[in-house]
Amino acid sequence: MNKLDTALVTSALQEAGFSLSESIKEAGIVLINTCSVREHAEQRVLSHLGHLKHMKKSRPDLVVGVIGCMAQRLGDKLLEHEAVNIVCGPAEIPQISELIAKAVQDRQKTLAVTEKIRRKGSQQQRRALEKFESAYGIEDERIGGQAFVRVMRGCNNFCSYCVVPYVRGPEVSRSPEAIIEQIRKLADHGVKQITLLGQTVNSYKCKHGGRTWCLADLLEAAGDIAGIEWLRFVTSYPSEEFFDQIMQVMAGSPKVCEYLHIPAQSGSDRILSAMNRNYASRWYLELLNRAREIVPGISIAGDLIVGFPGETEEDFQATVNLLEKARYKNAFIFKYSPRPGTTSDRRLEDTVPGEIKQRRNVELLAVQEKISDELSRQFLGEQVQVLVEGLSKKPHLDSAEAHGNPQLVSRTATDYIVVFNGPESLAGQFVKVKIVKTSPLTLFGRLV
Ligand code: 5AD
Ligand code: SF4
């Protein structure tokens, strides 16, 4: 979501005559797009702002803006920071070029955030966001041939630990007409892969043309657009609603990638209930089984939080059990971070000590690494189709085989990362690669 917002803001500013600078030293304006999901992310922003404050001593004309969730969360408190000129929340980004122009001209601090974030925005605000979204939703040049398309904003779930509903506002699904039109435009620009985005993307729902559209309908309609080869969607919330329909479209359409990111968050029913997640671990695992029955070969990923308030060794063991049974391709594991204003922060004390969170984190990572390794190994000797993303940042592993070609990074439909040597011109192209070596998170191959 943040990558998309950054791309939208970048395009908007380029359109307004600004250009992207390679280094902070050359920049006249510095924008920091921020995340509030965990405290660590916010601390990193504050540390950047500390450096910028220092820089501004010798360069007083430098304009610094903070955009995104942290801007919405902290508002005028953030504006008080010596380094900051502009604070702009996610719903106000359509105004970003005007805000910058004003800050440059007037040399005054500017605040643009939504006061009552849980209210559905005004017609005018929604129209501005829609216009911004479709006008600037061009290809993200950093990953060849691919683009993100937001299908919904906000979230209504209120998981007790999560700040998102308080910074991104209520759930609003965009109209299928606007989404399909946007995908068509992207396809005309040569985009081959679209990733549909939403905090709970599988609950997408919108009345249009006398019927209610769900994500399955969107995927079908997007699959009919010439030039679009692969469709993905993130992130799914474990819910019965529309689940089978979405899985059936995945099974039936060659364009819908066989990949599901569906966070469990915990394996303990007691903790799941305290998290306000509305399901039990057994039901969750059954849901994964259903996905695997409908879409054979599907790869599944998940998120887990360790150290939620009150999490005992027994609760943690339940999470280990869930992880062993879920057989995720990979899992993102986080240590609970109390977020101001959330229900868990208001009602529950952060009881699990840091070192226990750390140990549980490491233990889960080890369990997952073993599973990821086993799943990766199944690819040895296989040929896979991948979409090439670009140059790989990994150290060169097979330079003898390179024939002067750089190392490229690519992805399978099932979201496995594949590294191989090939010409950079393959970025944005589909190719076949034979897997010759594996590690838990990366497959290594040769171009066929
Ligand atoms: N502490 C730790 N992890 C969190 N997540 C969301 N809120 C918190 C929090 N307060 C994790 C969840 C979510 C992912 C994006 O971040 O696992 O799926
Ligand atoms: Fe946060 Fe839960 Fe909404 Fe995901 S579903 S964004 S974890 S409140």
Side-chain angles (χ1 to χ4, degrees):
M1 204 61 100
N2 274 5
K3 275 191 189 175
L4 171 62
D5 286 339
T6 300
L8 292 175
V9 167
T10 308
S11 310
L13 292 181
Q14 280 168 340
E15 183 110 327
F18 296 91
S19 65
L20 199 59
S21 166
E22 287 295 317
S23 114
I24 219 168
K25 288 196 194 102
E26 291 160 15
I29 298 148
V30 177
L31 289 184
I32 308 181
N33 192 11
T34 59
C35 171
S36 289
V37 158
R38 283 169 293 276
E39 196 190 353
H40 179 66
E42 291 200 346
Q43 273 166 353
R44 282 175 51 199
V45 172
L46 293 174
S47 128
H48 279 305
L49 289 177
H51 289 301
L52 286 164
K53 182 177 131 186
H54 193 70
M55 274 177 104
K56 278 182 112 170
K57 289 207 174 103
S58 53
R59 295 170 56 196
D61 286 347
L62 190 66
V63 170
V64 175
V66 181
I67 62 174
C69 294
M70 198 175 164
Q72 176 60 40
R73 195 179 83 73
L74 295 172
D76 46 9
K77 271 189 237 134
L78 201 55
L79 202 62
E80 280 169 20
H81 192 292
E82 240 181 275
V84 178
N85 302 89
I86 302 163
V87 170
C88 173
E92 282 73 21
I93 51 171
Q95 305 165 30
I96 191 69
S97 27
E98 289 151 43
L99 294 174
I100 293 175
K102 226 169 95 189
V104 171
Q105 245 170 35
D106 307 351
R107 299 268 125 216
Q108 267 177 15
K109 288 187 177 245
T110 319
L111 178 70
V113 294
T114 305
E115 209 167 304
K116 297 217 161 58
I117 189 72
R118 287 305 303 170
R119 287 219 187 129
K120 284 205 170 154
S122 64
Q123 277 272 5
Q124 192 193 358
Q125 193 182 41
R126 281 216 242 167
R127 245 183 252 137
L129 274 170
E130 245 336 293
K131 204 169 145 220
F132 187 75
E133 195 107 37
S134 40
Y136 298 113
I138 57 137
E139 187 177 0
D140 179 355
E141 298 291 344
R142 284 163 303 180
I143 310 178
Q146 309 192 37
F148 295 116
V149 172
R150 188 172 356 241
V151 301
M152 59 203 290
R153 292 183 251 278
C155 185
N156 286 347
N157 275 31
F158 288 98
C159 301
S160 65
Y161 52 81
C162 183
V163 78
V164 168
Y166 305 93
V167 287
R168 291 265 172 179
E171 188 180 298
V172 179
S173 291
R174 294 181 62 208
S175 93
E177 205 181 9
I179 296 166
I180 297 301
E181 180 54 30
Q182 193 178 349
I183 299 176
R184 205 168 275 135
K185 269 197 210 144
L186 290 163
D188 288 346
H189 274 87
V191 170
K192 295 181 179 136
Q193 173 178 287
I194 299 283
T195 304
L196 305 179
L197 298 181
Q199 305 292 349
T200 59
V201 70
N202 53 330
S203 64
Y204 174 86
K205 203 189 290 186
C206 191
K207 283 207 180 85
H208 176 74
R211 66 180 177 112
T212 301
W213 284 60
C214 73
L215 183 70
D217 301 315
L218 271 188
L219 289 167
E220 270 186 329
D224 287 340
I225 297 172
I228 297 301
E229 303 285 343
W230 277 4
L231 288 160
R232 301 179 182 279
F233 55 91
V234 282
T235 282
S236 296
Y237 183 89
S239 148
E240 206 51 75
E241 201 184 20
F242 308 129
F243 189 79
D244 288 10
Q245 267 164 281
I246 296 168
M247 289 301 105
Q248 269 147 12
V249 172
M250 192 184 277
S253 162
K255 293 191 176 175
V256 180
C257 293
E258 299 91 354
Y259 170 69
L260 186 64
H261 177 241
I262 188 159
Q265 310 298 4
S266 172
S268 154
D269 292 343
R270 210 177 64 79
I271 297 294
L272 282 169
S273 161
M275 285 176 162
N276 193 28
R277 291 288 290 184
N278 298 314
Y279 55 83
S281 62
R282 216 173 105 185
W283 177 85
Y284 173 86
L285 289 168
E286 278 163 15
L287 197 71
L288 298 195
N289 283 342
R290 223 156 80 210
R292 288 179 167 126
E293 266 162 32
I294 304 174
V295 189
I298 190 174
S299 83
I300 302 180
D303 298 357
L304 293 162
I305 296 176
V306 292
F308 186 82
E311 186 187 70
T312 62
E313 255 338 285
E314 205 183 338
D315 293 318
F316 173 66
Q317 274 314 314
T319 300
V320 173
N321 290 344
L322 178 131
L323 190 57
E324 279 167 347
K325 292 193 183 119
R327 305 243 351 129
Y328 291 134
K329 173 185 81 91
N330 66 305
F332 302 95
I333 298 162
F334 306 104
K335 290 180 269 191
Y336 172 71
S337 165
R339 304 312 295 132
T342 59
T343 325
S344 69
D345 184 56
R346 280 186 280 123
R347 300 207 184 135
L348 306 167
E349 219 177 300
D350 184 16
T351 49
V352 181
E355 59 272 28
I356 295 187
K357 283 182 187 165
Q358 178 62 16
R359 178 184 44 78
R360 290 178 183 170
N361 191 344
V362 169
E363 214 174 307
L364 283 188
L365 283 172
V367 171
Q368 182 55 44
E369 183 167 325
K370 190 163 166 278
I371 295 165
S372 295
D373 196 39
E374 284 166 14
L375 294 175
S376 288
R377 274 172 204 278
Q378 296 177 352
F379 285 90
L380 258 184
E382 297 285 315
Q383 271 191 26
V384 291
Q385 194 198 17
V386 293
L387 179 56
V388 182
E389 296 188 346
L391 289 176
S392 157
K393 287 190 201 102
K394 291 226 167 190
H396 226 292
L397 285 151
D398 206 3
S399 40
E401 292 280 332
H403 304 298
N405 277 325
Q407 193 162 271
L408 303 177
V409 64
S410 65
R411 233 171 250 267
T412 67
T414 50
D415 203 52
Y416 277 87
I417 295 168
V418 180
V419 168
F420 67 98
N421 291 314
E424 202 184 338
S425 58
L426 290 181
Q429 306 287 324
F430 287 98
V431 293
K432 281 219 162 85
V433 176
K434 184 176 175 175
I435 304 304
V436 295
K437 194 178 144 188
T438 68
S439 76
L441 292 178
T442 314
L443 310 177
F444 301 92
R446 287 202 192 111
L447 190 59
V448 174

